[in-house]
Amino acid sequence: MQRRHFLQYAGSTGLATATLAGGAQAAESNPKISWKLASSYPKSLDTIYGAAELMANRVRAMTNGAFDIRVYAGGELVPGLQVLDAVKDGTVQCGHSASYYYVGKNKAFAFDTTVPFGLTARQQNAWLYQGGGLPLLREFFKSYNIINFPGGNTGTQMGGWFRKEVNSLADLKGLKMRIPGMGGEILARLGVVPQTLAGGDIYPALEKGTIDATEWVGPYDDEKLGFHKVAKHYYYPGFWEPGPTLSFYINLNEWNKLPKSYQAALEAAMAEANQMMLAAYDAKNPPALLRLLQQGVKLHQFPADVMAQAQKQAFALYEEEAAKNPAFRKIYTSWQAFRKQQHAWFNLAERAMENAMYQKTK
Ligand code: CA
């Protein structure tokens, strides 16, 4: 009897010890961590801004609330176009932005987002996740003390809003268009005078005729800014953005300090955000386009000579840049080889299927 009592006592003590040890271990591997995320975007761009919130909510849920990431809109902590520097310097632990905003620092940043006539959303994901793109880009981002993750995609964008029709290359001469980055540089070679304006300044400039045209994203986001009220001609495709990827940036020191389980939670949540943003745009753009058409918007495809000349000038620009910029050249070489294979493949089954399906809907 006594022996049995002893065994029970020892057993329960042993159990209690084990529980205590497990508890201590759990607290150590599940520390309370609070991060700030600086987004480049306003809350009104709910699909883009919302992807960061989705990510943060998921991480909180996966860590029982222990890892708390607060999302701040562009301008709340740092100006929207300074997110990269803020993460690099550790002003914030992480950010959500588009790397092509930073081509002024180095044009190689563009590959992390999109390059004119480059890869569609699916092809960009294939390159980043499975085609060696992400490791190459991370090597580049390391010099900015950042680890980057794909964080959403808008799908192929629209070419934007024009006050007058563009019927040939000649109509682009002297045309003032709001179009930032490499797209602007390429269009400049076609005679366009590119302008860089922040989101809120575009509508008044287009209304007054200070600019003749503007690009933005696609029907769902464009509708909110109301460009259709002052420029009726809506062109496609936005050849400068065939499948732009948004990016999450994490300060490398902060990333390295995280428990492995938090790193895994973050990585999974960011991959989910990457997927869900594209799904949101694909679901929301078609009804938005219908609403725009009901308000008298006229759709036009860019003329063939514009597309052909733009593509030619785009690759002339890449070759020039590759000749003088080693970081650009290294990524461009991988990207270009992958792109050729992707285009050959997508030109086969996918294209044949799409041609057949879309013909029936006419
Ligand atoms: Ca755009």
Side-chain angles (χ1 to χ4, degrees), residues 31-35 65-69 257-259 262:
K32 289 258 179 210
I33 293 181
S34 295
W35 274 14
F67 189 6
D68 181 51
I69 302 172
K257 277 193 265 173
L258 287 179
Y262 286 16

Side-chain angles (χ1 to χ4, degrees), residues 100 154 157-158 178-180 215-218 222 238 240-241 244:
Y100 65 1
T154 68
Q157 296 201 354
M158 287 293 277
R178 181 268 174 193
I179 174 168
E215 66 88 50
W216 187 238
V217 181
D222 293 8
W240 46 92
E241 297 185 73

Side-chain angles (χ1 to χ4, degrees), residues 12-250:
S12 68
T13 311
L15 194 71
T17 311
T19 309
L20 268 175
Q25 213 167 28
E28 204 173 281
S29 59
N30 294 297
K32 289 258 179 210
I33 293 181
S34 295
W35 274 14
K36 286 177 178 166
L37 181 147
S39 170
S40 286
Y41 304 97
K43 288 177 185 168
S44 56
L45 284 177
D46 59 314
T47 33
I48 300 189
Y49 179 86
E53 294 243 286
L54 180 148
M55 185 279 285
N57 288 338
R58 200 57 109 200
V59 167
R60 225 173 275 125
M62 283 195 278
T63 59
N64 290 320
F67 189 6
D68 181 51
I69 302 172
R70 287 284 162 87
V71 179
Y72 293 85
E76 280 187 345
L77 294 177
V78 292
L81 300 181
Q82 285 172 28
V83 168
L84 182 97
D85 285 331
V87 177
K88 170 177 163 278
D89 299 338
T91 311
V92 287
Q93 293 85 1
C94 57
H96 191 222
S97 190
S99 301
Y100 65 1
Y101 296 149
Y102 313 104
V103 291
K105 296 179 192 288
N106 193 322
K107 281 202 171 67
F109 274 113
F111 292 106
D112 194 47
T113 312
T114 190
V115 169
F117 295 101
L119 304 169
T120 63
R122 261 182 75 185
Q123 295 164 357
Q124 176 82 354
N125 276 333
W127 181 60
L128 291 171
Y129 289 129
Q130 299 286 329
L134 207 45
L136 263 180
L137 287 163
R138 284 187 176 157
E139 201 183 305
F140 171 70
F141 271 86
K142 214 174 170 181
S143 58
Y144 293 85
N145 199 33
I146 283 172
I147 179 167
N148 56 310
F149 295 83
N153 201 303
T154 68
T156 304
Q157 296 201 354
M158 287 293 277
W161 302 89
F162 290 71
R163 284 161 63 97
K164 288 185 193 150
E165 278 187 51
V166 173
N167 295 311
S168 75
L169 207 47
D171 291 341
L172 292 183
K173 278 269 172 296
L175 188 119
K176 289 198 213 78
M177 178 172 183
R178 181 268 174 193
I179 174 168
M182 286 220 286
E185 268 188 65
I186 291 160
L187 280 176
R189 293 176 180 219
L190 271 55
V192 168
V193 186
Q195 320 274 319
T196 304
L197 295 173
D201 300 332
I202 307 173
Y203 183 90
L206 192 63
E207 187 181 30
K208 282 186 213 129
T210 317
I211 56 172
D212 307 301
T214 186
E215 66 88 50
W216 187 238
V217 181
Y220 181 70
D221 288 332
D222 293 8
E223 182 188 29
K224 287 187 229 162
L225 292 188
F227 301 133
H228 57 284
K229 292 173 199 151
V230 287
K232 286 273 174 244
H233 304 285
Y234 198 20
Y235 276 79
Y236 63 93
F239 50 79
W240 46 92
E241 297 185 73
T245 296
L246 284 296
S247 300
F248 287 112
Y249 301 148
I250 298 177

